[in-house]
């Protein structure tokens, strides 16, 4: 009798376990449905938004507040076409700002969520002749988002095959945020350019509204000091301006967050971003120099990391990131990894 009771208890416990697993799986499926069918406002904390004055429960479309429209509805081409037409017909003279509200909401979604549907919707606005100039009014915020999440825009283009927005950013961001070589030449500046320099001034960086972006750039920054000769612009005094080189930051952030196919898109269409502002200072070639006759290509930035390849001394390499004590390099065989800076020799 005791054995029978034990068996019955065991069967009962197994049934409870099965029921529990079913409930757990049902909950997972519910979350998946919710994620696929969430609303524009879901996941957004407007109290930490980098754009101010986002007011909920003010603008409606077909009797529904815009922020409560489901993303799955906006993925429907017919619905989206009708909605964008509605936004394009709004009139500022009648205090109708639905298009501005929608754009600001998408920009904040991009800031706070890695939801590529936001890229698709921003691209749809950019491609709409009646709405694109409203987005251009927020181009500085858009450019700042790109520096914060460059991988997001590449992923979005790869997924939706929409490149107009990225090409616009690639063409116009540099003149808004960066400083090119001709500017330094025209103002008689003493400066030592690093290899592959995309320079943004410290003052411009500090004006950004996304605190996380400023923190990221501060961690990855390569400082470049520019001494301006006396001129009318400097009040006839010497002036020192601090710039940060963001080239390595962009390259590393992209390669860290993109998959193989997305990296191919980046390399083919955009590397380097902002080519017209890229300053090719410093040395043109790099090679390995090691008294042992070779050096180790490491998987990570430490001497105990996995060895990916032994590189013969004297062999030329491509330096992808020269910030810090460990350089990210690419060998002639195409392998990428880290080599201590003391093993890398530069030359013209």
């Amino acid at each position: 009798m005791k054995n029978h009771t034990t068996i019955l208890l065991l069967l009962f416990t197994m049934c409870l376990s099965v029921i529990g697993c079913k409930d757990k799986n049902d909950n997972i499926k519910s979350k998946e449905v919710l994620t696929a069918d969430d609303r524009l406002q879901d996941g957004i904390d407007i109290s930490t938004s980098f754009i101010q004055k986002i007011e909920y429960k003010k603008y409606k479309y077909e009797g529904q507040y815009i922020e409560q429209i489901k993303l799955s509805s906006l993925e429907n081409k017919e619905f989206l076409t009708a909605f964008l037409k509605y936004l394009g017909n709004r009139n500022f003279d009648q205090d109708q700002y639905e298009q501005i509200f929608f754009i600001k909401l998408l920009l904040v979604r991009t800031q706070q969520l890695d939801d590529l549907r936001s890229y698709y919707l921003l691209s749809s606005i950019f491609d709409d002749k009646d709405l694109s100039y409203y987005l251009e009014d927020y181009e500085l915020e858009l450019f700042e988002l790109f520096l914060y999440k460059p991988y997001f825009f590449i992923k979005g283009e790869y997924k939706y095959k929409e490149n107009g927005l990225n090409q616009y950013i690639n063409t116009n961001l540099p003149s808004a945020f960066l400083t090119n070589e001709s500017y330094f030449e025209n103002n008689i500046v003493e400066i030592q350019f690093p290899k592959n320099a995309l320079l943004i001034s410290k003052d411009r960086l500090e004006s950004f509204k996304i605190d996380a972006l400023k923190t990221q750039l501060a961690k990855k920054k390569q400082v470049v000091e520019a001494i301006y000769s006396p001129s009318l612009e400097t009040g006839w005094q010497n002036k020192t301006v601090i710039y940060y080189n963001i080239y390595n930051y962009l390259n590393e952030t992209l390669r860290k967050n993109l998959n193989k196919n997305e990296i191919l898109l980046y390399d083919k269409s955009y590397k380097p971003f902002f080519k017209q502002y890229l300053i090719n200072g410093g040395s043109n070639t790099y090679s390995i120099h090691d008294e042992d006759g070779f050096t180790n290509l490491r998987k990570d930035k430490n001497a105990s990391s996995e060895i990916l390849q032994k590189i013969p001394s004297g062999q030329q390499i491509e330096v992808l990131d020269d910030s810090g004590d460990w350089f990210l390099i690419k060998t002639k065989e195409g392998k990428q990894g880290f080599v201590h800076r003391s093993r890398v020799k530069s030359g013209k």
Side-chain angles (χ1 to χ4, degrees):
M1 183 68 180
K2 183 177 180 181
N3 290 339
H4 287 180
T5 302
T6 302
I7 292 172
L8 287 173
L9 286 172
L10 180 60
L11 290 172
F12 181 70
T13 302
M14 291 174 65
C15 287
L16 287 178
S17 177
V18 170
I19 292 171
C21 288
K22 183 179 185 302
D23 290 342
K24 184 177 180 181
N25 289 336
D26 287 344
N27 287 335
I28 292 173
K29 289 180 181 178
S30 297
K31 289 179 181 179
E32 288 174 352
V33 171
L34 180 63
T35 301
D37 208 26
D38 54 3
R39 302 165 299 170
L40 277 167
Q41 72 183 57
D42 290 349
I44 293 178
D45 181 358
I46 57 175
S47 68
T48 59
S49 165
F50 81 120
I51 295 178
Q52 302 303 310
K53 297 182 179 178
I54 298 180
E55 301 175 89
Y56 285 167
K57 296 186 177 181
K58 186 172 183 178
Y59 304 107
K60 288 186 175 182
Y61 175 66
E62 295 186 345
Q64 182 181 29
Y65 287 114
I66 288 177
E67 66 270 20
Q68 295 180 352
I69 295 176
K70 293 179 178 179
L71 271 296
S72 58
S73 297
L74 291 167
E75 287 182 298
N76 179 286
K77 189 173 182 180
E78 185 176 335
F79 182 94
L80 179 60
T81 299
F83 179 63
L84 295 182
K85 184 176 180 180
Y86 165 80
L87 293 181
N89 290 330
R90 298 289 84 194
N91 192 333
F92 277 10
D93 293 337
Q94 298 177 23
D95 293 327
Q96 297 172 342
Y97 300 103
E98 285 90 338
Q99 67 283 87
I100 297 301
F101 172 77
F102 184 58
I103 288 171
K104 290 197 294 186
L105 202 57
L106 290 178
L107 292 173
V108 176
R109 279 187 65 83
T110 302
Q111 173 203 358
Q112 299 188 4
L113 304 172
D114 281 343
D115 185 347
L116 294 181
R117 292 172 294 183
S118 297
Y119 176 88
Y120 171 69
L121 295 173
L122 285 170
S123 293
S124 298
I125 291 173
F126 180 80
D127 292 336
D128 189 299
K129 61 182 178 62
D130 295 322
L131 293 172
S132 59
Y133 60 90
Y134 291 111
L135 181 57
E136 290 174 16
D137 285 342
Y138 284 87
E139 67 174 9
L140 293 183
E141 287 80 3
L142 182 65
F143 296 161
E144 191 172 336
L145 280 172
F146 179 87
L147 293 181
Y148 180 40
K149 293 182 173 181
Y151 61 87
F152 177 87
F153 291 83
I154 296 295
K155 283 179 174 289
E157 178 178 337
Y158 181 79
K159 179 175 181 179
Y160 293 107
K161 308 302 185 252
E162 296 282 349
N163 65 359
L165 183 62
N166 280 349
Q167 290 186 359
Y168 176 80
I169 294 171
N170 191 31
T171 301
N172 295 283
L173 184 155
S175 60
F177 287 166
L178 305 180
T179 306
N180 60 16
E181 191 169 7
S182 63
Y183 178 83
F184 294 111
E185 293 173 350
N186 294 336
N187 286 278
I188 314 175
V189 180
E190 181 182 336
I191 184 171
Q192 183 66 46
F193 296 119
K195 184 179 185 294
N196 293 331
L198 288 171
L199 299 182
I200 184 170
S201 71
K202 182 181 178 182
D203 289 342
R204 166 58 76 180
L205 174 64
E206 291 176 348
S207 73
F208 287 164
K209 300 172 185 176
I210 302 177
D211 291 334
L213 171 60
K214 291 191 280 189
T215 300
Q216 286 177 189
L217 288 174
K219 288 181 179 179
K220 299 288 184 179
K221 69 177 181 288
Q222 182 181 16
V223 178
V224 179
E225 188 176 88
I227 302 174
Y228 285 75
S229 298
S231 66
L232 181 62
E233 186 171 330
T234 65
W236 302 108
Q237 295 181 348
N238 285 327
K239 179 182 178 182
T240 300
V241 178
I242 300 300
Y243 291 89
Y244 295 149
N245 179 17
I246 65 171
Y247 177 86
N248 291 330
Y249 158 77
L250 281 174
N251 195 53
E252 183 177 322
T253 302
L254 284 160
R255 296 189 179 281
K256 180 180 178 181
N257 290 281
L258 299 179
N259 65 34
K260 186 179 296 185
N261 290 328
E262 292 160 349
I263 288 176
L264 288 174
L265 170 63
Y266 164 60
D267 285 342
K268 180 180 178 181
S269 301
Y270 296 107
K271 185 189 176 183
F273 268 107
F274 324 130
K275 188 173 183 178
Q276 69 273 32
Y277 271 64
L278 182 66
I279 303 171
N280 289 307
S283 299
N284 293 323
T285 61
Y286 291 88
S287 61
I288 293 299
H289 178 72
D290 196 309
E291 293 180 356
D292 294 333
F294 69 90
T295 197
N296 294 319
L297 181 71
R298 301 280 184 178
K299 185 176 182 179
D300 294 307
K301 299 178 180 181
N302 60 74
S304 59
S305 176
E306 177 186 345
I307 298 175
L308 303 177
Q309 180 184 339
K310 293 185 181 296
I311 312 173
S313 187
Q315 184 176 109
Q316 287 194 355
I317 56 171
E318 179 183 355
V319 174
L320 303 176
D321 183 353
D322 61 358
S323 59
D325 290 334
W326 289 84
F327 286 6
L328 175 63
I329 71 150
K330 183 177 181 180
T331 68
K332 71 174 186 178
E333 291 82 10
K335 289 189 176 181
Q336 291 187 27
F338 294 93
V339 170
H340 195 271
R341 65 184 307 145
S342 63
R343 302 297 189 266
V344 178
K345 181 179 179 182
S346 61
K348 294 290 185 180

